[in-house]
Amino acid sequence: MENITELLKGILEGCVLEIISRGETYGYEITQQLRQLGFSDVVEGTVYTITMRLEKQQLVHIEKKASTMGPPRKFYTLNEAGHDRLRIFWEKWAFVSDKMQELQQLKQEGSTR
Amino acid sequence: MENITELLKGILEGCVLEIISRGETYGYEITQQLRQLGFSDVVEGTVYTITMRLEKQQLVHIEKKASTMGPPRKFYTLNEAGHDRLRIFWEKWAFVSDKMQELQQLKQEGSTR
DNA sequence: ACCAGTACTTTGTGTTACTATATAGTGGTA
DNA sequence: TACCACTATATAGTAACACAAAGTACTGGT
């Protein structure tokens, strides 16, 4: 799927929060997981701007660990504020998602007229 | 639901396209329909920036008609390019929506461990 | 010495929803 | 008359976000 950039606004941050919530992970790995999920055009830079934002907003705990596969990794875990933010994200997503389904159902009803 | 601004990026334009596709309508009415749908914080200015964009991208046909309820109204209908754009929007939405559901299901599986 | 893969970072850009404000027509009412 | 609420369109500026592009740095293989 190409050019879904605008649709990803807001949700990509939620995805990153969700991925971190599953267990300690780092930027490069998060990027790979997003790509594996299907958001195949997501690049490191995008994820790093998000993780930086999470840091600034103090939603994550950070731990730097050495790696045998390259430079040291910055591992993230969600703190309490991070979990709160994630919960709120899913609530917002459910709301928007529901409304969009309503709109689409009206569409189908309309087309049977 | 409050502060879903970022989540609305990209989808609000799709909503406007969908609403116009149901039949000739104008900015003020589109705003009311969006508010009625549940996006209660959407204001006229937001919708007008979207309709202006649709005009510039030549996705709509425009007809100005007098109104007894106030100033003349600018009625919009989708042209072929508009219908194409709308179809593509729903495809993108379906894609993103599916991926988000996948992510959320993994979440639930994870929490039963 | 070179390159691919891993890993993090920064700067700048384009798109979008939103804020605030202005303009204007109609109808009601004090 | 003056004022206000509702209808209706428009625009200039802002903030937030994903993304592009480039750079730095560490490891291992050829």
Side-chain angles (χ1 to χ4, degrees):
Chain A
M1 183 64 50
E2 28 185 89
N3 211 20
I4 54 172
T5 300
E6 294 310 325
L7 236 43
L8 290 184
K9 296 263 176 87
I11 86 154
L12 214 49
E13 182 180 299
C15 291
V16 171
L17 282 167
E18 175 61 36
I19 288 170
I20 296 174
S21 82
R22 307 262 177 76
E24 206 180 38
T25 184
Y26 55 97
Y28 190 80
E29 196 181 47
I30 294 169
T31 309
Q32 290 175 318
Q33 284 189 38
L34 285 171
R35 295 172 74 94
Q36 200 182 335
L37 181 64
F39 301 142
S40 49
D41 293 337
V42 171
V43 292
E44 286 106 309
T46 300
V47 173
Y48 286 105
T49 53
I50 294 172
T51 51
M52 288 298 160
R53 214 156 63 220
L54 300 181
E55 284 184 37
K56 270 178 199 161
Q57 297 180 4
Q58 303 191 342
L59 303 174
V60 287
H61 172 254
I62 307 170
E63 202 164 341
K64 212 160 197 171
K65 296 182 186 176
S67 166
T68 56
M69 304 294 285
R73 300 166 174 164
K74 265 176 80 176
F75 281 88
Y76 295 102
T77 47
L78 292 191
N79 59 25
E80 199 165 342
H83 283 291
D84 284 351
R85 177 68 70 88
L86 176 58
R87 183 179 47 74
I88 291 167
F89 165 74
W90 281 119
E91 284 170 8
K92 288 182 182 177
W93 172 255
F95 178 82
V96 170
S97 193
D98 277 2
K99 295 307 171 188
M100 292 309 284
Q101 206 180 347
E102 267 183 58
L103 192 69
Q104 210 167 9
Q105 275 168 358
L106 289 175
K107 178 194 188 64
Q108 283 152 358
E109 283 167 27
S111 66
T112 57
R113 264 189 255 145
Chain B
M1 182 66 51
E2 31 186 88
N3 211 21
I4 54 171
T5 299
E6 293 310 324
L7 237 42
L8 290 184
K9 295 263 175 84
I11 86 154
L12 214 50
E13 182 182 299
C15 293
V16 171
L17 283 168
E18 176 62 35
I19 288 171
I20 296 175
S21 81
R22 307 264 174 76
E24 207 181 36
T25 184
Y26 54 98
Y28 190 79
E29 196 181 47
I30 294 169
T31 309
Q32 289 175 318
Q33 285 190 37
L34 285 171
R35 295 172 73 94
Q36 201 181 334
L37 180 65
F39 300 142
S40 50
D41 293 338
V42 171
V43 292
E44 287 103 309
T46 301
V47 173
Y48 286 104
T49 53
I50 294 172
T51 51
M52 288 298 159
R53 215 156 62 220
L54 300 181
E55 284 184 37
K56 271 180 200 160
Q57 298 181 2
Q58 303 191 343
L59 302 175
V60 287
H61 172 252
I62 307 169
E63 203 165 340
K64 214 159 194 171
K65 296 181 186 176
S67 166
T68 57
M69 302 295 284
R73 299 167 175 165
K74 265 177 78 178
F75 283 86
Y76 296 100
T77 46
L78 292 192
N79 59 25
E80 199 166 341
H83 281 291
D84 284 351
R85 179 67 71 89
L86 177 57
R87 181 180 48 74
I88 292 168
F89 166 73
W90 280 120
E91 283 171 10
K92 289 181 183 179
W93 173 256
F95 177 83
V96 171
S97 194
D98 278 2
K99 295 306 170 189
M100 291 309 284
Q101 207 179 346
E102 267 184 58
L103 192 69
Q104 211 167 9
Q105 274 169 358
L106 288 174
K107 180 194 186 63
Q108 282 153 359
E109 284 167 26
S111 68
T112 56
R113 265 189 255 146

